[in-house]
Amino acid sequence: KHPVKGLISPAEFIPLAEETGQIIQLGRWVTTQACQDAKLLLDMRLLKGRMAVNLSPLQFHRSGFLAALREVLASSSLPPSSLELELTEGILMHNSEAAIDTLRELVAMGVATSIDDFGTGYSSFSYLKDLPVNSVKIDKSFVDGVLSESKDAAVCRGIITMAREMGIKVVAEGVETREQFELLESYGCEAFQGYFFARPMSVEDLKGWLEQNLNGKQ
């Protein structure tokens, strides 16, 4: 939230942070804050799933990444099982053997992993069989057209069917209407995120929202 320009989209500031190298410090702060907030929610019995944090390729491939993550988890006292790291397909295509080794280390730690924006990168269905990931997130661009474009609907169905056959959870991101939600659910999608459910909010507002909406359910 800029004092003059107001809210600035991550699509604008994250590429600049990556270009200048500031994404390392920014990413460390985000992960630390997210883990602290998750521990707060966990202690209040409001965290029923996992706290998801996006990772930059620069973070993921940086030497010392796993050690830094262990430090953050230790300092926040958050169980690794309550954290999920979201990775783009590009992360996994660069130095893929090293990336798979890192993913296996995360599995051993108990941290879940997810492929964000699935279907937009190098994609592909073929490399999923080699990746120890917990879930894939259908990119918003496909969800946007799922009701009006037969090809977008086919991509969504294909991702859901393939991932489920492989034992991988599917999340649809950018769900903004009930119609989108109901259609994707009919395809077999298991989890959703988007403005249809809630807008971004502060952790204080989130506590109230969870208390009001979850009622002990995930």
Side-chain angles (χ1 to χ4, degrees):
K1 187 173 183 180
H2 192 276
V4 177
K5 298 179 180 180
L7 290 175
I8 300 175
S9 167
E12 293 185 58
F13 71 77
I14 287 180
L16 183 60
E18 290 180 328
E19 184 180 337
T20 60
Q22 294 179 74
I23 194 68
I24 301 300
Q25 290 78 17
L26 180 60
R28 175 67 180 260
W29 176 84
V30 166
T31 304
T32 300
Q33 189 65 52
C35 287
Q36 290 173 352
D37 290 346
K39 183 61 166 64
L40 174 67
L41 296 173
L42 191 64
D43 289 345
M44 296 178 68
R45 298 186 178 181
L46 293 175
L47 184 65
K48 303 298 183 180
R50 292 185 287 261
M51 175 67 81
V53 180
N54 291 90
L55 278 189
S56 161
L58 292 178
Q59 289 174 271
F60 184 79
H61 291 295
R62 187 178 176 85
S63 62
F65 159 66
L66 290 171
L69 181 63
R70 290 188 180 98
E71 288 178 16
V72 170
L73 287 168
S75 65
S76 64
S77 299
L78 182 72
S81 59
S82 294
L83 178 64
E84 178 174 305
L85 298 178
E86 296 188 2
L87 318 167
T88 63
E89 294 176 82
I91 285 180
L92 305 169
M93 296 301 293
H94 172 70
N95 197 1
S96 58
E97 288 188 14
I100 290 173
D101 287 343
T102 301
L103 287 173
R104 287 175 177 150
E105 287 284 345
L106 291 170
V107 170
M109 289 170 60
V111 175
T113 53
S114 176
I115 301 179
D116 199 14
D117 302 333
F118 188 78
T120 61
Y122 299 90
S123 225
S124 287
F125 296 100
S126 61
Y127 71 72
L128 265 188
K129 62 183 175 61
D130 299 319
L131 297 179
V133 297
N134 300 84
S135 62
V136 296
K137 299 180 73 175
I138 304 174
D139 186 69
K140 183 181 184 300
S141 62
F142 300 116
V143 173
D144 285 344
V146 71
L147 295 170
S148 58
E149 300 291 337
S150 60
K151 290 183 179 179
D152 286 336
V155 169
C156 290
R157 285 197 305 271
I159 292 173
I160 292 166
T161 301
M162 174 209 61
R164 291 188 66 186
E165 288 293 322
M166 299 174 73
I168 298 173
K169 183 178 179 180
V170 182
V171 182
E173 56 183 354
V175 177
E176 297 185 354
T177 69
R178 175 170 294 280
E179 291 77 16
Q180 289 174 334
F181 163 64
E182 291 178 346
L183 181 59
L184 289 163
E185 187 178 43
S186 74
Y187 291 165
C189 192
E190 302 166 82
F192 309 84
Q193 74 177 62
Y195 287 175
F196 174 63
F197 306 98
R199 296 268 174 167
M201 64 187 81
S202 68
V203 69
E204 288 303 316
D205 291 338
L206 178 61
K207 287 191 290 186
W209 187 91
L210 288 170
E211 288 171 341
Q212 181 178 354
N213 288 279
L214 286 188
N215 296 322
K217 298 178 181 179
Q218 184 167 343

